[in-house]
């Protein structure tokens, strides 16, 4: 296909002209662009479509949020079909709750929105020394998410409204203690058992493993000895780190940045204070607020007479559980960390001062300023490494789009090798061996990325060893690959897998013999045979397996308590067979301190179940449809993934 395009450029231009112009006539430029940008529908809620583009953008934003929250986290771990589908489910959930919030007329007031924005740590960090919001930095913050301040605030308002849909269910959920105890006692019920285990290894010496037997097993089970298609590849990764490595900064650039940002780089002034809080929320009745204010005034008079008693008075009277035990100490804080009235008072005081009573939404505070930590100027040499890192990051973000276009064109224009692109853009040409179309369940990053693997194993790539196109595998990451060596799927030769054939034959026939012997012994026990071979009695439960296989514990708990003692036979697969005598039910006797904890946990489970049930009802009510199949869990016996070198 690539050869035809290159050799018949004028013909392709003419055909594209014939195809594109009529579409402009029929739909218009705006309609054409809109159709292209929206992409295919992946889900719908109440007739509203969720498009592939929305899904892709939402997942990019989620990965970026994770990267900013935990910079050391390898966000490539989230580039899996399961992680992407989880993002789609969150999109559907948000849409369902938004539709229900509109129908139920659940609104968010300006005051509620303001409180939420004030409590946002990212926004609080943008406050200037005088307490006002730095609007330019605020616009940059929300602009990084592709929004204006108005759009951001509208999205927060919508989110707060949507939360109200399920809040009523969650906050009113409860379960009586009797019901919680009944359920927990049943779930954690204990049984006394005796066990006789038959393990496959005990029968290995009875299995015929001569060459004829191995050959027969190998020929009867070819699926067990398949080698998947594999490829040794070369690949290039263009991401922000690669762009940063290509950027060189001069000493003058670094020094100019330092001089322009010296004050900001030195840090913020911090203050240490202690306080006495008489709690009285703004929503409290006026009489209660007045009573709290009077109490605060009384305590203020006490500490003004004896300032050295402030810590003792705070310990005895402050209603802030986080600081009262420490004499009201709040440690050091900068501007933006406290509510504005408290902050304004603290930053207007001198060390050792005690403030008048300060009113906030939490109640009434008496503040004692105990220390002031002024920002310390740091020299250029001290700051040089971090400045270089910051500047490279900024320039890389601006330069990425430009280099990404060059990267995309280069791997297409020179399809037989990635080396010219690597040299041109100073990228490391990496290699990986034994890459498979279906990744190992432990694979991560590129080798768990379905889009990347599909491109590597596309017919064009496999048959002609051409470069793949530039593939966007994560936010600000493009990858191109080329197959160096391809090995199709095949049944491995007997000689290659003879040792594995023997292992499989022993395991299969050993397990079959163990099950046969165990079933015969079970029948003998039921017929009245002596039980001396059984183990000593064990007490097992779901949370006390006593090193028994889970299937053994489950089988013992399923035995009819009205017909004990009872005999149970359990096939535990590769672990063989277990004969179990269930003797009796042992009452559950949790320690007193854990009873209330269990009841609380059960109430939370019950509330969560009601929440989920209500959400499921809303999905049906609003005709929710996911048009993308949920990824199936990867089997344990997966092909080996690529091993990067």
């Amino acid at each position: 296909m690539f050869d035809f395009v290159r050799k018949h450029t004028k013909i392709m231009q003419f055909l594209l002209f014939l195809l594109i112009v009529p579409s402009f006539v029929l739909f218009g430029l705006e309609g054409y662009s809109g159709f292209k940008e929206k992409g295919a529908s992946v889900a719908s809620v109440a007739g509203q479509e969720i498009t592939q583009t929305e899904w892709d953008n939402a997942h990019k934003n989620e990965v970026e949020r994770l990267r900013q929250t935990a910079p050391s986290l390898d966000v490539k771990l989230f580039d899996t079909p399961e992680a992407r589908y989880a993002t789609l489910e969150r999109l559907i959930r948000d849409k369902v709750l938004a539709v229900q919030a509109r129908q139920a007329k659940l609104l968010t007031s300006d005051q509620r929105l303001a409180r939420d924005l004030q409590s946002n740590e990212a926004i609080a960090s943008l406050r200037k020394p005088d307490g006002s919001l730095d609007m330019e930095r605020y616009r940059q913050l929300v602009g990084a998410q592709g929004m204006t301040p108005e759009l951001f605030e509208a999205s927060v308002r919508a989110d707060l409204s949507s939360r109200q849909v399920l809040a009523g269910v969650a906050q009113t959920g409860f379960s009586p203690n009797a019901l919680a105890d009944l359920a927990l006692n049943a779930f954690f019920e204990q049984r006394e058992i005796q066990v006789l285990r038959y393990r496959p290894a005990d029968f290995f010496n009875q299995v015929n493993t001569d060459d004829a037997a191995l050959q027969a097993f190998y020929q009867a089970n070819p699926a067990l000895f398949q080698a998947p298609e594999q490829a040794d590849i070369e690949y290039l990764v263009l991401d922000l780190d690669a762009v940063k490595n290509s950027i060189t900064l001069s000493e003058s650039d670094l020094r100019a940045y330092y001089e322009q940002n010296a004050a900001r780089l030195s840090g913020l002034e911090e203050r240490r204070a202690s306080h006495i809080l008489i709690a009285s929320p703004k929503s409290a009745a006026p009489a209660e607020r007045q009573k709290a204010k009077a109490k605060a005034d009384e305590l203020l008079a006490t500490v003004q007479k004896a300032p050295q008693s402030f810590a003792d008075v705070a310990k005895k009277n402050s209603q802030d559980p986080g600081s009262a035990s420490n004499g009201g100490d709040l440690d050091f804080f900068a501007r933006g960390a406290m509510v504005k009235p408290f902050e304004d008072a603290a930053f207007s005081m001198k060390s050792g001062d005690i403030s008048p009573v300060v009113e906030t939404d939490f109640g009434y505070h008496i503040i004692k300023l105990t220390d002031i930590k002024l920002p310390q100027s740091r020299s250029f040499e001290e700051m040089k490494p971090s400045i270089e890192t910051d500047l490279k990051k900024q320039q890389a973000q601006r330069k990425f789009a430009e280099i990404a276009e060059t990267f995309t064109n280069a791997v297409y224009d020179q399809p037989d090798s990635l080396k010219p692109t690597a040299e041109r853009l100073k990228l490391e040409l990496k290699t990986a061996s034994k890459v498979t179309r279906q990744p190992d369940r432990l694979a991560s990053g590129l080798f768990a990325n379905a889009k990347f693997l599909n491109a590597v194993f596309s017919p064009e790539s496999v048959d002609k060893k051409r470069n793949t196109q530039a593939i966007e595998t994560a936010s600000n990451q493009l990858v191109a690959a080329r197959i160096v060596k391809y090995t199709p799927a095949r049944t491995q030769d007997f000689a290659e897998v003879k040792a594995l054939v023997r292992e499989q034959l022993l395991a299969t026939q050993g397990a079959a013999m163990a099950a046969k012997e165990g079933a015969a012994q079970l029948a003998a026990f039921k017929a009245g045979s002596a039980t001396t071979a059984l183990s000593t009695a064990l007490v097992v439960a779901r949370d006390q397996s006593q090193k028994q296989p889970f299937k053994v514990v489950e089988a013992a708990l399923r035995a009819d308590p009205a017909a004990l003692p009872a005999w149970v036979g359990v096939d535990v697969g590769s672990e063989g067979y277990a004969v179990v005598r269930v003797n009796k039910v042992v009452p559950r006797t949790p320690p007193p301190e854990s009873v209330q904890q269990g009841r609380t946990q059960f109430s939370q489970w019950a509330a969560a179940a009601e929440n989920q049930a209500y959400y499921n009802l809303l999905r049906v009510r609003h005709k929710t449809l996911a048009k993308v199949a949920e990824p199936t869990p990867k089997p344990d016996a997966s092909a080996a993934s690529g091993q990067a070198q």
Side-chain angles (χ1 to χ4, degrees):
M1 177 180 175
F2 287 138
D3 290 337
F4 180 85
V5 172
R6 291 187 183 88
K7 293 177 181 177
H8 303 85
T9 304
K10 292 185 177 181
I11 295 175
M12 290 303 298
Q13 289 175 344
F14 180 70
L15 288 174
L16 288 171
F17 178 81
L18 292 179
L19 289 170
I20 293 172
V21 170
S23 69
F24 285 158
V25 173
L26 292 172
F27 301 109
L29 179 60
E30 183 178 352
Y32 183 82
S33 301
F35 176 78
K36 178 183 176 184
E37 290 171 3
K38 288 182 180 178
S41 172
V42 294
S44 65
V45 177
Q48 302 177 27
E49 302 295 332
I50 297 175
T51 66
Q52 180 71 47
T53 302
E54 287 180 82
W55 184 13
D56 291 342
N57 290 338
H59 191 66
K60 285 181 186 177
N61 292 337
E62 181 69 10
V63 170
E64 181 63 19
R65 184 187 65 79
L66 289 169
R67 187 187 66 79
Q68 292 178 356
T69 304
S72 61
L73 185 68
D74 182 5
V75 294
K76 296 175 184 178
L77 296 174
F78 298 93
D79 191 18
T80 64
E82 291 80 7
R84 287 183 56 78
Y85 195 82
T87 300
L88 177 59
E89 287 189 320
R90 283 193 291 274
L91 274 177
I92 292 173
R93 184 183 180 88
D94 291 346
K95 187 81 75 174
V96 168
L97 297 181
V99 170
Q100 181 63 22
R102 285 197 299 272
Q103 290 190 1
K105 295 182 171 54
L106 298 174
L107 305 176
T108 298
S109 66
D110 292 341
Q111 293 81 0
R112 175 70 182 87
L113 175 63
R115 284 202 306 273
D116 187 83
L117 293 175
Q118 286 174 1
S119 65
N120 187 307
E121 294 182 2
I123 296 176
S125 68
L126 304 181
R127 294 195 178 280
K128 298 178 181 177
D130 63 359
S132 63
L133 188 65
D134 187 332
M135 289 304 298
E136 184 58 35
R137 292 176 63 199
Y138 177 49
R139 289 190 183 92
Q140 291 175 0
L141 175 68
V142 298
Q145 304 176 43
M147 290 187 282
T148 63
E150 293 77 16
L151 279 175
F152 173 73
E153 289 161 15
S155 72
V156 173
R157 190 189 296 272
D159 181 56
L160 291 172
S161 298
S162 296
R163 289 185 205 172
Q164 298 178 63
V165 174
L166 297 179
V169 177
Q171 293 171 5
T172 57
F174 76 99
S175 60
N177 288 342
L179 176 61
D181 292 343
L182 179 65
L184 292 171
N185 287 338
F187 186 78
F188 293 111
E189 183 180 86
Q190 302 176 120
R191 303 242 170 145
E192 182 186 277
I193 66 172
Q194 292 173 276
V195 184
L196 178 59
R197 295 284 300 276
Y198 291 87
R199 293 176 171 81
D202 297 335
F203 299 89
F204 283 176
N205 59 357
Q206 301 177 34
V207 178
N208 178 14
T209 58
D210 61 23
D211 282 354
L214 295 178
Q215 281 280 6
F217 185 80
Y218 168 78
Q219 292 172 5
N221 299 278
L224 294 177
F225 311 108
Q226 284 283 312
E229 61 178 328
Q230 296 179 347
D232 295 348
I233 67 169
E234 296 176 337
Y235 65 101
L236 293 176
V237 179
L238 177 69
D239 55 17
L240 288 179
D241 287 338
V243 177
K244 278 191 286 188
N245 292 337
S246 69
I247 294 173
T248 303
L249 297 171
S250 66
E251 183 84 3
S252 59
D253 291 336
L254 299 176
R255 193 170 291 279
Y257 184 85
Y258 170 78
E259 292 170 355
Q260 293 168 9
N261 297 274
R264 181 177 65 81
L265 295 172
S266 297
L268 300 173
E269 177 184 339
E270 293 184 335
R271 298 206 163 197
R272 185 170 192 163
S274 298
H275 80 141
I276 300 168
L277 170 66
I278 303 302
S280 181
K282 197 171 184 180
S283 58
E288 292 182 13
R289 294 277 289 182
Q290 189 173 2
K291 183 179 178 181
K293 173 69 163 56
K295 176 67 174 176
D297 288 336
E298 178 186 334
L299 294 174
L300 175 62
T302 300
V303 296
Q304 284 178 334
K305 289 179 183 177
Q308 70 279 6
S309 69
F310 192 96
D312 290 335
V313 174
K315 287 181 181 179
K316 295 175 182 176
N317 298 277
S318 179
Q319 295 170 355
D320 177 6
S323 67
S325 61
N326 296 323
D329 182 35
L330 296 169
D331 209 337
F332 282 100
F333 55 88
R335 284 191 179 273
M338 301 294 182
V339 291
K340 195 170 188 308
F342 189 103
E343 178 186 285
D344 289 345
F347 278 84
S348 66
M349 298 164 64
K350 297 177 181 177
S351 185
D353 284 356
I354 294 175
S355 73
V357 173
V358 177
E359 179 181 358
T360 72
D361 289 350
F362 302 103
Y364 298 92
H365 308 255
I366 303 164
I367 305 169
K368 181 178 181 180
L369 190 67
T370 56
D371 201 356
I372 298 174
K373 187 188 291 183
L374 296 174
Q376 296 182 350
S377 297
R378 300 173 65 185
S379 69
F380 171 72
E381 294 303 326
E382 288 180 282
M383 295 298 299
K384 183 177 178 180
S386 61
I387 291 174
E388 187 169 11
T389 299
D390 288 346
L391 273 179
K392 281 189 173 183
K393 182 177 180 180
Q394 293 174 18
Q395 292 191 19
Q397 289 173 332
R398 290 195 295 267
K399 195 175 179 182
F400 181 82
E402 173 190 335
I403 297 182
E405 184 177 359
T406 302
F407 179 87
T408 301
N409 292 337
V411 298
Y412 174 80
D413 291 340
Q414 296 174 299
D416 296 324
S417 175
L418 291 172
K419 190 174 180 180
T421 305
E423 292 174 348
R424 179 177 178 182
L425 298 179
K426 296 181 174 60
L427 299 176
E428 179 188 358
L429 184 58
K430 301 179 180 181
T431 62
S433 61
K434 299 182 180 179
V435 177
T436 57
R437 188 187 296 267
Q438 298 300 324
D440 181 86
R441 61 190 178 89
L442 299 178
S444 62
L446 289 178
F447 301 104
N449 187 296
K451 188 189 296 186
F452 173 72
L453 294 175
N454 287 339
V456 169
F457 287 94
S458 67
E460 185 80 14
S461 177
V462 170
D463 297 339
K464 298 184 179 181
K465 306 294 190 296
R466 293 283 178 82
N467 298 342
T468 67
Q469 62 182 343
I471 308 151
E472 186 176 19
T473 53
S475 178
N476 293 321
Q477 183 184 72
L478 290 176
V479 182
R482 176 175 171 271
I483 290 179
V484 177
K485 177 183 177 183
Y486 175 77
T487 306
R490 63 186 178 88
T491 300
Q492 299 175 86
D493 294 337
F494 176 75
E496 291 180 79
V497 292
K498 183 176 180 179
L500 178 60
V501 173
R502 186 175 186 279
E503 289 178 13
Q504 293 280 6
L505 176 61
L506 287 171
T508 302
Q509 294 198 6
M513 291 178 180
K516 181 179 179 181
E517 188 74 15
Q521 184 62 67
L522 176 64
F525 283 147
K526 287 182 176 180
S529 176
T531 61
T532 54
L534 292 169
S535 71
T536 55
L538 304 169
V539 175
V540 297
R542 285 186 173 89
D543 59 341
Q544 300 176 45
S545 68
Q546 304 288 11
K547 299 183 180 179
Q548 295 298 319
F550 179 73
K551 287 184 176 181
V552 169
V553 176
E554 283 292 299
L557 293 172
R558 282 198 297 268
D560 185 357
L564 300 182
W567 291 98
V568 181
V570 186
D571 187 338
V572 286
S574 62
E575 295 184 61
Y577 194 89
V579 178
V580 184
R581 186 176 191 266
V582 186
N583 295 330
K584 61 182 179 180
V585 175
V586 180
R588 176 176 179 255
T589 55
E593 63 271 13
S594 70
V595 171
Q596 187 54 48
Q597 181 181 357
R599 290 170 177 172
T600 301
Q601 183 70 66
F602 183 81
S603 295
Q604 293 172 352
W605 290 338
E610 289 183 16
N611 238 359
Q612 187 62 41
Y614 182 53
Y615 170 67
N616 291 340
L617 174 66
L618 293 178
R619 282 181 63 112
V620 175
R621 179 182 298 173
H622 297 306
K623 299 178 180 178
T624 302
L625 174 64
K627 303 177 182 179
V628 178
E630 183 175 0
T632 54
K634 296 172 185 175
D636 290 339
S638 300
S641 67
Q643 301 165 356
Q645 298 176 350

